[in-house]
Amino acid sequence: MSDDLEKKDADRLDELKAELSGHFGRFTRWRALCQGRGVSTVEEQIRLAEEVLAAPSTGTNAEWLTHHLRLKGSQSFDVDEMLAGADPAPGKDEA
Amino acid sequence: MAILTFHEWTSFNEAARRSLTRTLAKFDSTPARKPVAILTAWRGELPDASGRPYPEAVRRKLNDQANRRLAAEVRRRGLSIVPVVGAGQEEGEGGVLTANREESFLVQPVGEMPEKEFLAHIKHLLHNPTGETGGGPHPHTQWGGVVKLPSRPGAFIVHNHGDPTGPEDYHVGDHLGTTARPRKAEPYYTQLRYGPRASDSMLDDLDKPDDLGTIKGRPGRRFTLGDGS
């Protein structure tokens, strides 16, 4: 990739990060998604940032905290299975 | 046995409700007597019918109205309410912290209630906090809430997995931890609205004089749920 294209992508990612930071919870959701999917390239980070910005969000503490915990390595579980007495199976990554 | 006047009884009762120690015990890892949840009908992102966000003043007004309706729904289900403030501090680009505060409620059964029945109420309240007609999702449908059950050592977030179509979609859990302790620097906490004010160790640079639950310049006491001491 040319230096110009790289610079353009890096600038675009910076813009998206700023936009994500303006909506409570979305920046953490994006970081958790990047981590969960093992994303490392700028192009993939841009795509995920656009995906997170386009998705509905409640902008609540509960939603942010879920992604914050996921970023720290938490795995989800099925509450109904837990109450039914079974060992709750780890859920899929819902971030 | 001393007989209290009604005024004395309500004073003692209110003092107990305000007690941080008593509140922490609701979330303790030792078996508590009743289940407890932290809920709100507030939404940080509240779009109008065309999908555009409401102006901040309108959003706040609509959230307040929604919380009043949530309180009525909670009581109608035989549950009690203690008003609190839920807070989260997100680390954004460049490590900049953004605080989000929500008028919230600690919710418990008034009498005895099996925890499955309690959780069913919570799922309904998360999906339809304001008692709207129809299947939803509704304008104030929530992502999730915090729950602590007597049979389980730790509190957890119960939430949906995106685009909920009913209470049954709220079955995903994420562990918060087995301890409840006074807040120090943790990025999420619950703040009591009334009673004694927060100690210095519970405060940080993000506190503002007009924050929710701040009376006479200081917020109420704060606690956080997590692991460790």
Side-chain angles (χ1 to χ4, degrees), chain A residues 25-63:
Chain A
R26 290 189 188 257
F27 189 78
T28 304
R29 182 177 179 175
W30 169 73
R31 285 180 64 203
L33 263 181
C34 289
Q35 180 176 290
R37 297 187 189 177
V39 162
S40 56
T41 67
V42 172
E43 292 94 328
E44 289 172 311
Q45 289 175 339
I46 288 173
R47 190 181 57 77
L48 284 183
E50 289 170 341
E51 185 181 309
V52 168
L53 284 168
S57 168
T58 58
T60 56
N61 289 327
E63 186 167 352

Side-chain angles (χ1 to χ4, degrees), chain B residues 117-179:
Chain B
E117 183 182 338
F118 178 76
L119 192 59
H121 282 303
I122 298 305
K123 290 179 175 189
H124 274 91
L125 291 165
L126 289 170
H127 182 63
N128 189 3
T130 51
E132 307 290 337
T133 55
H138 308 284
H140 289 270
T141 289
Q142 292 291 301
W143 165 265
V146 172
V147 173
K148 168 72 176 70
L149 301 174
S151 69
R152 299 285 152 179
F156 57 90
I157 303 174
V158 59
H159 59 90
N160 66 65
H161 44 71
D163 300 322
T165 57
E168 65 280 3
D169 287 336
Y170 291 79
H171 63 84
V172 187
D174 272 276
H175 290 293
L176 268 173
T178 56
T179 61

Side-chain angles (χ1 to χ4, degrees), chain A residues 26 28 61 70 77 79-80, chain B residues 45 90 102 123 171 173-174:
Chain A
R26 290 189 188 257
T28 304
N61 289 327
R70 201 62 50 79
F77 61 93
V79 174
D80 295 338
Chain B
E45 296 196 15
E90 180 181 36
E102 300 162 349
K123 290 179 175 189
H171 63 84
D174 272 276

Side-chain angles (χ1 to χ4, degrees), chain B residues 3-185:
Chain B
I3 297 176
L4 303 177
T5 64
F6 179 73
H7 177 73
E8 288 168 332
W9 181 86
T10 52
S11 297
F12 281 124
N13 194 42
E14 186 60 25
R17 283 161 62 92
R18 290 172 177 177
S19 160
L20 180 65
T21 304
R22 186 182 160 105
T23 304
L24 293 180
K26 297 178 194 293
F27 294 93
D28 206 351
S29 59
T30 54
R33 198 166 64 86
K34 290 182 178 185
V36 59
I38 306 175
L39 302 179
T40 184
W42 268 37
R43 287 182 55 132
E45 296 196 15
L46 190 62
D48 64 18
S50 66
R52 284 189 294 255
Y54 284 110
E56 176 58 19
V58 176
R59 182 189 74 90
R60 188 165 284 240
K61 182 182 170 187
L62 291 172
N63 276 336
D64 283 340
Q65 288 173 353
N67 253 6
R68 285 195 287 275
R69 294 178 70 180
L70 170 61
E73 284 294 306
V74 168
R75 293 191 177 103
R76 190 179 65 76
R77 291 169 180 271
L79 305 169
S80 69
I81 271 187
V82 177
V84 293
V85 177
Q89 297 177 343
E90 180 181 36
E91 186 178 335
E93 173 67 347
V96 176
L97 291 175
T98 302
N100 183 54
R101 296 179 178 84
E102 300 162 349
E103 298 270 16
S104 308
F105 301 113
L106 283 184
V107 174
Q108 285 195 291
V110 173
E112 298 297 322
M113 182 180 286
E115 52 189 36
K116 280 187 183 176
E117 183 182 338
F118 178 76
L119 192 59
H121 282 303
I122 298 305
K123 290 179 175 189
H124 274 91
L125 291 165
L126 289 170
H127 182 63
N128 189 3
T130 51
E132 307 290 337
T133 55
H138 308 284
H140 289 270
T141 289
Q142 292 291 301
W143 165 265
V146 172
V147 173
K148 168 72 176 70
L149 301 174
S151 69
R152 299 285 152 179
F156 57 90
I157 303 174
V158 59
H159 59 90
N160 66 65
H161 44 71
D163 300 322
T165 57
E168 65 280 3
D169 287 336
Y170 291 79
H171 63 84
V172 187
D174 272 276
H175 290 293
L176 268 173
T178 56
T179 61
R181 58 185 183 275
R183 190 249 177 172
K184 289 183 180 168

